[in-house]
Amino acid sequence: MTGRYDSATLDTLAENAKRDSYVVLKDHLPKDTLRAWAEAFNPLLKNHMEREGHLQNRGSGRFYVTLPFDTPFADPAIFEDDDILGIVERLVGREPVMCQLATDTPIRGSDFQEIHRDTPSLFPELSYETPMYQLAVNFPLCDVTPENGPIEIAKGTHMMPRDEALAKVDSGEIPLEQVCMKLGDVMIRDVRHLHRGTPNTTDTPRPMVVIGYSRRWLFRPEVSIKVPRAVHGRLSDRARHLLRFNQVVESLDQVEQGEKYQAFAF
């Protein structure tokens, strides 16, 4: 794999993410690949809604679905993308861990989420925040428009204590800004920034993929990837190292159904 950005550009993109809490790579992933993901995702969403859609733990009309680590989703061209990993390593250090492969999807009837972070601070007793340690790499499986539920982000709040950041958002000093994306765009973000999902007012679900990467020493048991042994055997050494904290299973048929990642807002 060869990235499109040189080292100096990756440095700049990482610095922008450190300042704003996120950076967007425009038109970065192949659209045909993402359309294939969208087609494979539709029955997964339907099955999830039938099985446990009543839980509504992320708000009305909003569903978190873990993706099976198999074709087409176990795609090293995406999770080993040199540019994405180049930025990830600049933000959370060498030898990051890939810990999550899932989706967030609002449908018609969804509402504004409560403003939240996706992880607690490492040391909440401190009056300042640490450098980045947990990232979400997000990319949609369709265009994200103002009508179908874009994320709203309060820039820069990842480096503030939560209460201070909330006060600045409540006062209007730091606005919540909508982030619309095109199919193929990728966002790399610090999950500590204050943000919320917005309503999808269309008749079409809006799936957003999340690949989680963290510092080499961080383990969050509520999120995980089950790696089928046959898929594991096809992975590169780098991919296996990225996935080193995840369980290798004989078959995905052995994996218990039901989402374990329920507490998501901090």
Side-chain angles (χ1 to χ4, degrees), residues 19-135:
R19 180 193 66 217
D20 294 337
S21 77
Y22 73 92
V23 67
V24 176
L25 309 182
K26 295 289 189 181
D27 195 25
H28 191 74
L29 298 177
K31 294 180 176 60
D32 286 345
T33 296
L34 300 184
R35 292 187 184 105
W37 279 44
E39 184 175 355
F41 172 71
N42 287 333
L44 299 180
L45 177 63
K46 181 177 183 291
N47 291 340
H48 173 91
M49 291 171 63
E50 291 173 351
R51 185 181 67 244
E52 55 193 293
H54 62 282
L55 296 177
Q56 302 277 295
N57 73 304
R58 280 167 169 74
S60 60
R62 189 177 299 273
F63 305 99
Y64 177 88
V65 181
T66 293
L67 297 176
F69 197 74
D70 206 342
T71 305
F73 307 116
D75 188 346
I78 291 182
F79 69 82
E80 281 192 85
D81 179 274
D82 284 327
D83 294 317
I84 293 173
L85 289 182
I87 295 170
V88 166
E89 290 184 354
R90 284 164 170 79
L91 297 179
V92 297
R94 296 179 63 83
E95 299 186 63
V97 173
M98 179 179 166
C99 58
Q100 183 182 21
L101 178 63
T103 51
D104 178 76
T105 306
I107 65 173
R108 180 179 285 278
S110 52
D111 204 345
F112 287 96
Q113 288 182 309
E114 294 292 327
I115 298 171
H116 64 280
R117 291 175 159 180
D118 290 339
T119 188
S121 297
L122 283 178
F123 302 102
E125 66 272 23
L126 297 179
S127 60
Y128 55 88
E129 282 289 343
T130 63
M132 294 180 176
Y133 54 89
Q134 178 73 62
L135 303 175

Side-chain angles (χ1 to χ4, degrees), residues 59-259:
S60 60
R62 189 177 299 273
F63 305 99
Y64 177 88
V65 181
T66 293
L67 297 176
F69 197 74
D70 206 342
T71 305
F73 307 116
D75 188 346
I78 291 182
F79 69 82
E80 281 192 85
D81 179 274
D82 284 327
D83 294 317
I84 293 173
L85 289 182
I87 295 170
V88 166
E89 290 184 354
R90 284 164 170 79
L91 297 179
V92 297
R94 296 179 63 83
E95 299 186 63
V97 173
M98 179 179 166
C99 58
Q100 183 182 21
L101 178 63
T103 51
D104 178 76
T105 306
I107 65 173
R108 180 179 285 278
S110 52
D111 204 345
F112 287 96
Q113 288 182 309
E114 294 292 327
I115 298 171
H116 64 280
R117 291 175 159 180
D118 290 339
T119 188
S121 297
L122 283 178
F123 302 102
E125 66 272 23
L126 297 179
S127 60
Y128 55 88
E129 282 289 343
T130 63
M132 294 180 176
Y133 54 89
Q134 178 73 62
L135 303 175
V137 172
N138 289 124
F139 53 91
L141 300 184
C142 62
D143 289 347
V144 180
T145 68
E147 293 75 32
N148 68 0
I151 191 173
E152 291 184 337
I153 293 174
K155 281 184 180 178
T157 52
H158 62 305
M159 294 305 293
M160 299 176 188
R162 180 180 179 277
D163 289 346
E164 176 187 343
L166 276 172
K168 290 180 181 293
V169 171
D170 288 343
S171 70
E173 181 179 345
I174 299 179
L176 285 168
E177 301 180 20
Q178 257 187 22
V179 183
C180 294
M181 300 173 69
K182 293 288 189 180
L183 185 70
D185 293 350
V186 178
M187 178 192 296
I188 303 170
R189 64 184 184 91
D190 186 324
V191 299
R192 291 174 298 174
H193 59 198
L194 292 179
H195 64 281
R196 66 179 178 182
T198 65
N200 182 352
T201 61
T202 75
D203 292 325
T204 304
R206 191 279 291 144
M208 178 69 72
V209 176
V210 54
I211 302 179
Y213 296 94
S214 62
R215 286 190 181 264
R216 58 182 296 183
W217 41 261
L218 183 64
F219 174 63
R220 294 186 66 185
E222 67 270 32
V223 293
S224 65
I225 300 167
K226 299 296 190 289
V227 183
R229 191 170 300 280
V231 176
H232 189 266
R234 300 194 297 266
L235 298 175
S236 70
D237 289 342
R238 178 169 71 165
R240 290 175 186 165
H241 195 62
L242 283 169
L243 291 156
R244 61 194 179 275
F245 284 174
N246 295 286
Q247 181 183 4
V248 178
V249 297
E250 292 303 321
S251 168
L252 290 177
D253 293 336
Q254 300 174 348
V255 176
E256 182 181 352
Q257 297 295 310
E259 295 296 342

